[in-house]
Amino acid sequence: MLQGCTVQPLLTDLYQFTMAYGYWKSSKEKATAVFELYFRESPLGGEFTIFAGLQDCLLFLSKFQLTKEDVKYLQSVLPPTTEQGFYDYLRNIDTSAVTLRAVPEGSLVFPKVALLVVEGPLAIVQLLETPLLTLVNYASLVATNAARFRLAVGPEKRLLEMGLRRAQGPDGGLSASRYSYIGGFDGTSNVLAGKLYGIPLFGSMAHSYITSFTSMSEVEVQTLKPALEGQPAVDFVSLCKEWLARVCRLLQVPQDQINSSELAAFISYAMSYPRNFIALADTYNVMRSGVPNFCAVSLALHELGYRTVGLRLDSGDLVQQSLKVRRTLRTCAAEFGVSWFSDVPIIVSNGISEKDLIDLQNQRNEIDSIGVGTHLVTCTSQPSLGCVYKLTQVCGKPRIKLSEDREKMTLPGKKTAYRLYGPDGSPFLDLLTRDGESPPRAGEEIQCNVLSKRGECLRVRAARVETLYRVYFKHGQVSQGPCTPLEIRTHAQNSLTNLHPQHKHLQEPVPYQVAVTTKLCDLLTELTKESSPLPWQPDSSNHTA
């Protein structure tokens, strides 16, 4: 069963309905049309994008229908000259005649290659434009942003999404949690995302929990039962105080400098979650209070058979602090004979960006997990992917949009897309063909024209050829079973693994090539000549790759 963000048909731009009326008035509403949803440039300075949002698109299509209340509202906002017959038409429209082909969700996608190909009655597929763009644009952008964070930090460290409170509203926050997981994050703090999408949850305490305690007298429960069942409860408060004295002597930290209210908060939390104790150690002073208090409570838990989950830092020089904390943990582990204590995970957060992660990887550090919020969910360096939805064919006739800005020219006609792989298993070119053309075959020479090089002619041979599009929606029904976020995440990570490293560089990556067949290139040239006195011409030079 599909589960995701439900978008209503009225979540659209008014001009979609004014155009639909124009189509209806001109008796063109039933003309078969093909639209393509794609982007013109890879985001965030990179060379790849992770396609996301398909499951929500399918959910939207499967439920698309205007209610009586929707139509009544449209009657109140459209010009009074709009004929009643149009509203009767709107009451009965659905997506039973719509077909949607798409690249599998989680795939790597590249500029000018359609992510979605939508075919159906002109007025209806026009009405789908804004909702589909809404569902794909942000989802793909945040999944790609997350993938870049993962590439920046490497595969070893855990990445935790913690951006719900910083996201653009509740829908943005939920989408960010879902699609950052697909992009390579390991977990989220968002409880609803955990429930809906099965994303692993992470969370401990905030500074407010610690500052809510003012003294040890506020720790009302004094005892804790050992992990081993059947053992009597122990005076845990006294045990923590004993361990604090031992830790302070070892670390040569004056015990009178230890913040006792922080200790009270740690003890209270540990007794609430003895098997899941994580402490935020930077509320007052990291090395002269937070870390000694953490060590004391953790070692007291160890004496009762429990094992601490982690220590979190949220301010200051996180790299240097991680080194100091790790040295302290190892010192305690050696002195007190608790071997696992030296490896307690260190978790950091504090407005971390992609650049911060790159810098982190270039320095020696002892950080195990990283919580990321604002820069992930808001995609600070580029707030929009810029997907567009363009008409390419009506009644079997290819259509083209020309522009003084060459990048905004559309590729005409209904098309098929193929991905070509080299002998090393990496993709090296996406090939667009006219619908009905013979597909490229592995081992055969293929002549094509590269889009990013003004039509430069290229001859290539592929070790393997993959058809990119699958039919996901037809006859009003979803035609492929839904994928879970974990399945999409796995596909996305496998796709990234297979992409050649030169295309994954976070700065100045080698461009990935997208090309068109000779037939499609000829069609483009022909339609351009018909529509403009300045025709688009491919270069005549030949190159072999």
Side-chain angles (χ1 to χ4, degrees):
M1 181 179 180
L2 289 171
Q3 184 179 57
C5 179
T6 302
V7 171
Q8 301 178 30
L10 291 191
L11 187 65
T12 190
D13 298 297
L14 181 61
Y15 73 78
Q16 307 292 5
F17 282 101
T18 60
M19 285 192 290
Y21 178 64
Y23 295 143
W24 179 85
K25 184 74 171 173
S26 304
S27 299
K28 295 177 62 175
E29 79 278 8
K30 295 181 180 180
T32 301
V34 178
F35 282 82
E36 293 183 349
L37 188 153
Y38 61 94
F39 57 92
R40 299 186 178 107
E41 185 177 358
S42 294
L44 306 164
E47 196 54 37
F48 69 86
T49 302
I50 293 179
F51 170 44
L54 176 59
Q55 299 297 304
D56 281 343
C57 291
L58 297 175
L59 180 63
F60 166 68
L61 290 176
S62 66
K63 294 181 176 294
F64 180 88
Q65 192 167 27
L66 290 163
T67 66
K68 292 181 180 179
E69 291 76 15
D70 291 339
V71 176
K72 184 178 180 180
Y73 176 73
L74 288 170
Q75 285 180 293
S76 72
V77 296
L78 289 174
T81 54
T82 306
E83 297 178 22
Q84 179 61 40
F86 176 63
Y87 298 113
D88 296 335
Y89 163 74
L90 290 180
R91 289 188 184 94
N92 295 301
I93 62 172
D94 57 31
T95 55
S96 59
V98 173
T99 298
L100 181 138
R101 296 184 298 150
V103 178
E105 188 165 9
S107 298
L108 298 185
V109 285
F110 303 95
K112 297 295 182 72
V113 179
L115 318 181
L116 305 178
V117 180
V118 188
E119 184 173 2
L122 177 57
I124 294 175
V125 292
Q126 182 72 70
L127 290 173
L128 300 178
E129 174 180 3
T130 302
L132 292 178
L133 285 169
T134 300
L135 292 169
V136 170
N137 256 314
Y138 179 70
S140 300
L141 181 65
V142 77
T144 305
N145 199 30
R148 290 176 62 88
F149 274 67
R150 170 55 70 193
L151 289 172
V153 80
E156 301 301 325
K157 298 187 189 302
R158 291 180 71 212
L159 283 175
L160 309 168
E161 180 271 316
M162 301 169 63
L164 177 58
R165 66 189 65 191
R166 305 291 169 79
Q168 284 90 341
D171 291 338
L174 192 60
S175 294
S177 300
R178 178 182 181 184
Y179 295 115
S180 61
Y181 178 64
I182 286 171
F185 272 58
D186 298 294
T188 180
S189 63
N190 187 336
V191 178
L192 183 57
K195 174 187 176 184
L196 292 177
Y197 310 124
I199 303 172
L201 289 174
F202 167 87
S204 57
M205 63 173 69
H207 291 108
S208 56
Y209 185 86
I210 297 169
T211 57
S212 73
F213 287 81
T214 59
S215 69
M216 289 295 296
S217 64
E218 295 178 31
V219 183
E220 294 188 359
V221 178
Q222 300 284 307
T223 61
L224 178 66
K225 290 184 177 181
L228 185 63
E229 292 186 9
Q231 298 295 312
V234 174
D235 185 341
F236 187 67
V237 174
S238 296
L239 185 61
C240 288
K241 290 179 178 179
E242 292 172 9
W243 272 108
L244 180 62
R246 297 175 68 181
V247 168
C248 286
R249 283 195 299 271
L250 175 65
L251 303 180
Q252 297 182 347
V253 175
Q255 194 165 346
D256 59 4
Q257 292 186 8
I258 299 294
N259 190 295
S260 60
S261 63
E262 181 182 58
L263 178 62
F266 285 6
I267 291 174
S268 172
Y269 198 83
M271 287 197 290
S272 299
Y273 301 100
R275 299 183 188 277
N276 298 280
F277 178 57
I278 301 176
L280 183 56
D282 70 330
T283 304
Y284 300 109
N285 184 292
V286 174
M287 298 310 300
R288 303 190 72 81
S289 182
V291 171
N293 278 332
F294 169 81
C295 291
V297 175
S298 296
L299 291 166
L301 284 171
H302 169 74
E303 189 170 325
L304 299 185
Y306 299 104
R307 184 165 177 165
T308 292
V309 173
L311 177 149
R312 182 175 157 221
L313 301 168
D314 190 49
S315 61
D317 188 332
L318 300 176
V319 169
Q320 291 304 312
Q321 287 187 43
S322 74
L323 297 173
K324 293 177 182 178
V325 170
R326 185 65 69 201
R327 283 197 296 269
T328 299
L329 296 175
R330 288 170 178 162
T331 298
C332 289
E335 175 68 19
F336 302 124
V338 184
S339 59
W340 63 263
F341 198 64
S342 63
D343 299 319
V344 169
I346 297 174
I347 306 145
V348 301
S349 56
N350 186 22
I352 292 171
S353 66
E354 179 184 300
K355 182 180 181 301
D356 293 329
L357 294 181
I358 295 172
D359 293 342
L360 178 69
Q361 285 302 90
N362 292 329
Q363 302 177 67
R364 178 173 166 266
N365 68 84
E366 289 291 343
I367 295 169
D368 299 289
S369 298
I370 303 167
V372 187
T374 304
H375 292 286
L376 172 66
V377 304
T378 64
C379 300
T380 311
S381 58
Q382 182 178 327
S384 175
L385 176 56
C387 283
V388 294
Y389 184 87
K390 298 299 180 182
L391 178 68
T392 63
Q393 184 167 292
V394 179
C395 295
K397 296 180 180 180
R399 308 305 299 152
I400 189 171
K401 169 189 173 290
L402 299 180
S403 172
E404 292 185 8
D405 183 348
R406 180 184 176 83
E407 288 301 312
K408 290 191 174 183
M409 180 187 296
T410 61
L411 296 174
K414 185 176 179 181
K415 296 178 282 294
T416 301
Y418 300 92
R419 182 155 293 167
L420 278 54
Y421 291 80
D424 63 352
S426 298
F428 66 88
L429 182 140
D430 281 9
L431 181 66
L432 300 176
T433 74
R434 293 193 66 176
D435 191 48
E437 275 195 72
S438 298
R441 295 182 180 179
E444 293 184 355
E445 183 178 87
I446 302 164
Q447 180 172 316
C448 53
N449 296 84
V450 182
L451 287 176
S452 62
K453 297 181 179 180
R454 292 187 175 272
E456 176 185 283
C457 187
L458 192 70
R459 287 187 172 90
V460 298
R461 293 182 189 272
R464 180 168 72 89
V465 176
E466 175 189 12
T467 303
L468 287 182
Y469 297 142
R470 302 177 188 176
V471 176
Y472 281 93
F473 188 87
K474 193 170 185 178
H475 304 310
Q477 300 290 327
V478 176
S479 54
Q480 302 237 7
C483 294
T484 66
L486 178 58
E487 290 171 334
I488 298 169
R489 181 183 192 272
T490 300
H491 178 52
Q493 299 313 303
N494 289 340
S495 298
L496 271 173
T497 299
N498 291 336
L499 186 65
H500 196 282
Q502 66 182 1
H503 303 309
K504 292 189 284 189
H505 294 163
L506 299 179
Q507 285 88 34
E508 299 183 358
V510 173
Y512 181 90
Q513 293 185 321
V514 175
V516 297
T517 60
T518 300
K519 287 186 178 181
L520 182 52
C521 185
D522 290 343
L523 174 64
L524 179 59
T525 303
E526 176 187 341
L527 292 181
T528 304
K529 285 180 178 179
E530 291 177 0
S531 307
S532 170
L534 298 174
W536 179 88
Q537 290 287 356
D539 291 348
S540 59
S541 56
N542 290 338
H543 298 267
T544 302

